[in-house]
Amino acid sequence: MQPFRIEIPQSDLDDLHRRLEHARWPDDEVPGAGWARGVPVGYLRELAEYWRTGFDWRAMESTLNQIPQFTTEIDGANVHFVHVRSPEPDATPLLITHGWPGSFVEFMDVIGPLTDPRAHGGDPADAFHVVIPAMPGFGFSGPTRAAGWDVERVARAWKELMGRLGYDRYVAQGGDWGMLVSLELGLIAPEHVAGVHLNMLVTFPPEDPAEMAGLSEADMGRLGKLLHFDLELSAHMKLMATRPQTVAYALTDSPLGQLAWLVERYLEWTDSHLVPEEAVDRDRLLAIVTLYWLTATAGSSAQIYYESTDRTNQNLAARWAGPWPLTVPAGVAVFPHDIAPPIRRFAEQILPTLTHWSEFERGGHFAAFEEPDLYVQDVRTFARSLKQS
């Protein structure tokens, strides 16, 4: 394992600024379309100009380098990870896995409270040793050129990583792809995983219509969000699950394309209505976009969609649907503006060891980024329940 510091060559930043300055813009926007047909030109022009002239990468780089980071080779992949040990000797190891389009950057505000609750007004008994790896193909864990990095292989790599760090028993936490990796880890390593905490769970409607009887209006609304996601917001999934290499050319060559591709997700999947900055900090958002750009991992990060799809019928949803026959406790934090908040009745059918369920009134897909206090609170509560059982 080697310590890691982010040190981006100035020539790479100069190239980014040059490309933004000379970007070729479309002039065919339909008047009054807003976000309905994609990212509005006016919004993206202003954001791209701020990225070029206002966003201070060097300041962000300095801030990120204050977080202890490392790299190690696992199963042929170079894995970048954050590892922050708590000052509390009896802290619980916590393995956090991000999703797409995610990064360790989205967890910056929760690392301190999780590792050192005493310094943040909390109970030192709730302390964690925090490990946040970047999945192979993402950010500084990429790009990767090997096939086969599906969620099960990532989970096996995480098992190896935690063993190398000396953690025999730990809590696995995740959302988006991190949800699937955490669940897989709970399946393959129950002797090491004390519990699985999720800030996302997809619950598909059952095949038997009779099981739909008695659903509340709120639950029907959640099914409506799932349908809306399937019909309107999931085009990226189909594209990356079938032709990730083709996606790579446009996003690796055009920072404007990379910016639009990611920013749209942060508008549609967060607790925001007009612009993503209603839910997330603009500079942190641009830091995530910049990391994808500087590491040229738009294509390699898309490969997990391809690898985790049932290739016989192109069914990506099958991987998400469960059931998940865990033998370890599971907890779910429900944020109302996630892409498809789960329904508890159905969740209990696919997660037989569900012991913890929280519902919040605000927040979306990127829980730690949008609502760090709520995220920390729920992870602590779940971990506390494991100690009491």
Side-chain angles (χ1 to χ4, degrees):
M1 294 191 180
Q2 300 293 327
F4 178 85
R5 283 182 59 82
I6 305 171
E7 296 177 332
I8 300 300
Q10 185 59 42
S11 58
D12 288 358
L13 300 178
D14 293 342
D15 175 67
L16 168 61
H17 296 157
R18 178 186 60 79
R19 288 169 181 263
L20 288 170
E21 183 178 7
H22 297 287
R24 184 184 183 197
W25 289 88
D27 61 359
D28 55 354
E29 184 176 40
V30 175
W35 289 79
R37 296 169 183 257
V39 183
V41 173
Y43 170 79
L44 201 69
R45 275 188 179 276
E46 190 275 328
L47 184 60
E49 182 62 15
Y50 177 78
W51 191 16
R52 185 177 74 87
T53 62
F55 174 68
D56 188 342
W57 169 257
R58 290 303 184 198
M60 182 61 68
E61 185 179 71
S62 177
T63 299
L64 295 176
N65 279 330
Q66 294 175 25
I67 304 172
Q69 300 168 58
F70 305 85
T71 60
T72 189
E73 183 178 321
I74 302 177
D75 194 12
N78 179 65
V79 175
H80 167 262
F81 62 98
V82 165
H83 182 207
V84 184
R85 288 190 60 85
S86 171
E88 307 296 338
D90 296 328
T92 300
L94 175 66
L95 172 63
I96 300 173
T97 307
H98 64 79
W100 183 91
S103 160
F104 74 97
V105 174
E106 66 189 270
F107 300 97
M108 289 173 64
D109 289 336
V110 304
I111 293 174
L114 288 172
T115 57
D116 193 2
R118 188 192 303 268
H120 292 81
D123 185 345
D126 289 330
F128 298 94
H129 302 305
V130 171
V131 180
I132 311 174
M135 289 191 292
F138 286 70
F140 296 115
S141 287
T144 54
R145 295 172 181 84
W149 278 103
D150 63 359
V151 292
E152 182 178 352
R153 187 173 176 183
V154 175
R156 294 189 182 279
W158 283 190
K159 177 184 175 182
E160 173 67 18
L161 174 63
M162 295 301 278
R164 291 185 190 181
L165 292 173
Y167 296 133
D168 183 63
R169 193 79 169 155
Y170 44 86
V171 175
Q173 200 287 323
D176 196 87
W177 286 107
M179 174 201 85
L180 296 181
V181 171
S182 299
L183 288 169
E184 288 281 359
L185 188 57
L187 290 176
I188 67 174
E191 71 278 16
H192 297 297
V193 177
V196 176
H197 180 276
L198 310 171
N199 59 272
M200 175 190 179
L201 183 69
V202 181
T203 52
F204 293 90
E207 294 182 3
D208 183 359
E211 295 187 38
M212 301 280 287
L215 286 181
S216 67
E217 183 177 344
D219 284 342
M220 292 300 293
R222 291 179 180 186
L223 286 178
K225 288 197 70 170
L226 179 61
L227 179 62
H228 177 66
F229 178 79
D230 182 47
L231 296 177
E232 186 73 17
L233 306 182
S234 61
H236 70 286
M237 295 175 63
K238 187 67 173 179
L239 185 57
M240 293 194 292
T242 57
R243 298 296 183 270
Q245 187 61 50
T246 303
V247 176
Y249 298 113
L251 302 185
T252 305
D253 187 59
S254 168
L256 202 63
Q258 179 70 93
L259 180 64
W261 187 243
L262 297 193
V263 161
E264 186 174 66
R265 310 285 86 74
Y266 282 89
L267 182 281
E268 294 177 339
W269 299 357
T270 62
D271 191 355
S272 58
H273 305 282
L274 299 177
V275 293
E277 292 92 330
E278 293 175 341
V280 297
D281 177 78
R282 170 177 275 202
D283 281 359
R284 297 275 182 88
L285 174 57
L286 287 175
I288 292 173
V289 177
T290 306
L291 281 178
Y292 275 84
W293 172 259
L294 293 173
T295 57
T297 52
S300 58
S301 65
Q303 295 292 339
I304 194 168
Y305 285 87
Y306 185 92
E307 299 291 355
S308 299
T309 297
D310 179 354
R311 304 241 62 85
T312 60
N313 58 12
Q314 299 298 325
N315 185 6
L316 182 62
R319 174 73 80 162
W320 297 73
W324 298 93
L326 292 178
T327 58
V328 302
V332 177
V334 181
F335 291 86
H337 297 281
D338 202 349
I339 54 177
I343 295 171
R344 182 163 188 172
R345 183 202 299 182
F346 301 154
E348 290 171 344
Q349 296 175 10
I350 64 174
L351 278 177
T353 57
L354 184 64
T355 60
H356 171 87
W357 183 274
S358 298
E359 300 209 14
F360 298 101
E361 295 182 355
R362 62 182 189 276
H365 190 65
F366 305 94
F369 195 4
E370 297 179 65
E371 298 293 343
D373 292 344
L374 297 181
Y375 174 91
V376 169
Q377 167 194 320
D378 206 69
V379 172
R380 286 175 177 172
T381 302
F382 176 67
R384 208 177 297 136
S385 72
L386 300 178
K387 297 176 183 178
Q388 296 168 353
S389 61

